[in-house]
Amino acid sequence: MALFDENTTIAPAPRPRMSRRALAGIWALAVAMIVLLIITFLPTSYVIQQPGPVYNTLGSAESADGEEVPLISVEGAETFPTAGALDLLTVQVQGNRERTPSWFELAMAWFDPSKAVLPIDAVFPEGQTTEQRNEQSAAMMIDSQAEATAAALVELGYDVDGRLSVHSLTEASPAEGILEEGDIILGADGESIADVDELREIIDAGDGAPVELLIERDGEEETVEVAPEESTIEGETAWRIGVSLTTDYDFPIDVTIQLNNVGGPSAGMMFALGIMDTLTPGELNGGAQIAGTGTITASGEVGPIGGIRQKLWGALDAGAQVFLAPEANCDEVVGHIPGDLEVFAVEDLDDAIAVLDAVREDEDLAGLPRCTAR
């Protein structure tokens, strides 16, 4: 029985014609993909904030020569072994005015809880270059190290004297031609000042009004007047006189903090705790891994910082279970604590020490201040 007839021609079935609606849909999809591709490479006006490296103040860091050295070292006083970690957190910024993240990168960051998408002006103020921002950030780091050393030594009973001086002037500074590098600022609007925070409070209280400064230059005292300008740095808007300030202290012992390529003032509290642990017997943290952030003054007051949510994620990823957060940042913390991280609110160095004492003595932590909604 024949299965095929070689004389029979079989014509293929005609392909059904695509409907106009389907054809229009395909074209719309193609156009959308092309537009999306173009938008992906268009410049944006945002940057991405994400967790940065974590450094143990009780451990080591890489020096400018590439050698591993103690992050905190002390000369002129007895030091003691430490254990565990007192971690300081950093935040990295992806993008700058020269190169902003793509729309695709922004979309990916938007759905990542450990990252934040910020307007570029909130991180890089208009008219400020990346180089200028880095210089200012480095000056703030130097000042925070001095303030941390002063806070730790005062807490341990040492006498510390400090003088606030002008480190540098920013470009187009309101103080240009009025203040000079090396000027010592003794007072503002008739009030004596001991640190940068006190000066900032006086300037902000004037809400833009000219501030009268008592300065010492070349051994002579004189009074000058500077009109502040409003600017934004790391998301914080305030009145500023356009100078980077440092506090020169006459410390009774030599404390060296070695941490390259990290700027800003937010590590102050953790520096102070690391110095105290190095100078006291036993383990301040009980050998546990504790992370934290916050600025600090010589009097031990802990101040707010930027990027707190990214730092919470950085602490969790580094393995910390306890986190010390500035009380002033609590509104940003509530509802955004990752994993099982325990976050405690601190207003000053004594609050931070109270948490460390409780951890070391294995006490109940329930009674310690936490961040709550206001």
Side-chain angles (χ1 to χ4, degrees):
M1 178 175 63
L3 296 177
F4 301 100
D5 186 346
E6 60 183 9
N7 296 318
T8 302
T9 302
I10 300 177
R15 179 179 297 177
R17 297 186 62 183
M18 186 175 297
S19 67
R20 290 184 178 180
R21 180 176 297 179
L23 188 61
I26 291 175
W27 275 106
L29 179 60
V31 171
M33 294 298 291
I34 293 172
V35 171
L36 180 61
L37 184 63
I38 293 173
I39 289 178
T40 297
F41 293 99
L42 286 177
T44 67
S45 56
Y46 299 90
V47 293
I48 298 170
Q49 207 172 52
Q50 60 192 24
V54 176
Y55 299 93
N56 178 13
T57 60
L58 305 178
S60 62
E62 192 174 279
S63 70
D65 299 328
E67 299 180 4
E68 284 292 319
V69 297
L71 196 149
I72 294 174
S73 57
V74 177
E75 292 184 7
E78 184 179 5
T79 60
F80 301 88
T82 59
L86 290 171
D87 289 332
L88 67 87
L89 294 314
T90 67
V91 171
Q92 288 182 330
V93 176
Q94 180 183 346
N96 51 46
R97 289 199 175 275
E98 289 75 36
R99 190 274 179 191
T100 57
S102 69
W103 286 104
F104 177 76
E105 290 171 318
L106 293 177
M108 295 295 290
W110 185 265
F111 293 101
D112 187 338
S114 70
K115 298 180 180 180
V117 177
L118 302 175
I120 195 168
D121 289 340
V123 181
F124 298 94
E126 186 69 35
Q128 185 185 54
T129 65
T130 301
E131 183 179 358
Q132 291 170 339
R133 179 180 181 273
N134 291 340
E135 289 177 356
Q136 186 176 43
S137 184
M140 294 170 75
M141 167 59 81
I142 293 172
D143 188 60
S144 76
Q145 293 176 358
E147 293 290 310
T149 302
L153 295 185
V154 168
E155 186 72 25
L156 295 175
Y158 289 89
D159 290 326
V160 173
D161 295 321
R163 306 182 77 183
L164 193 63
S165 63
V166 177
H167 177 268
S168 62
L169 277 70
T170 61
E171 186 175 352
S173 166
E176 188 172 356
I178 302 172
L179 294 176
E180 299 177 0
E181 293 182 14
D183 285 348
I184 298 171
I185 301 179
L186 304 174
D189 285 347
E191 298 181 36
S192 60
I193 53 176
D195 55 42
V196 175
D197 286 338
E198 289 185 2
L199 177 59
R200 286 173 181 162
E201 288 177 4
I202 293 173
I203 294 173
D204 283 339
D207 198 26
V211 58
E212 187 177 86
L213 301 175
L214 175 64
I215 67 170
E216 180 184 314
R217 179 183 298 165
D218 299 328
E220 300 289 334
E221 291 186 8
E222 61 179 283
T223 300
V224 298
E225 188 175 86
V226 181
E229 292 181 355
E230 199 170 28
S231 64
T232 302
I233 297 178
E234 294 186 355
E236 179 185 354
T237 300
W239 293 99
R240 306 180 194 276
I241 59 174
V243 295
S244 295
L245 301 169
T246 60
T247 306
D248 299 321
Y249 291 98
D250 184 16
F251 293 130
I253 61 176
D254 293 328
V255 178
T256 301
I257 298 176
Q258 178 72 60
L259 188 60
N260 291 315
N261 302 320
V262 176
S266 64
M269 179 182 67
M270 299 311 293
F271 284 148
L273 292 173
I275 293 168
M276 289 184 63
D277 201 0
T278 302
L279 287 170
T280 52
E283 298 160 355
L284 191 63
N285 56 358
Q289 182 175 0
I290 308 241
T293 186
T295 65
I296 200 162
T297 65
S299 60
E301 295 178 3
V302 174
I305 50 82
I308 184 72
R309 295 178 186 174
Q310 287 67 56
K311 291 178 179 179
L312 289 168
W313 281 97
L316 182 70
D317 292 342
Q321 294 181 319
V322 172
F323 188 97
L324 307 176
E327 195 278 335
N329 283 116
C330 276
D331 283 351
E332 301 171 77
V333 171
V334 174
H336 298 278
I337 300 175
D340 57 356
L341 196 63
E342 290 196 81
V343 180
F344 298 92
V346 298
E347 295 187 60
D348 52 37
L349 193 56
D350 288 338
D351 289 343
I353 293 170
V355 176
L356 297 184
D357 287 345
V359 171
R360 183 182 64 253
E361 302 300 329
D362 197 23
E363 297 176 356
D364 186 6
L365 303 178
L368 295 172
R370 310 256 183 163
C371 284
T372 57
R374 296 176 184 175

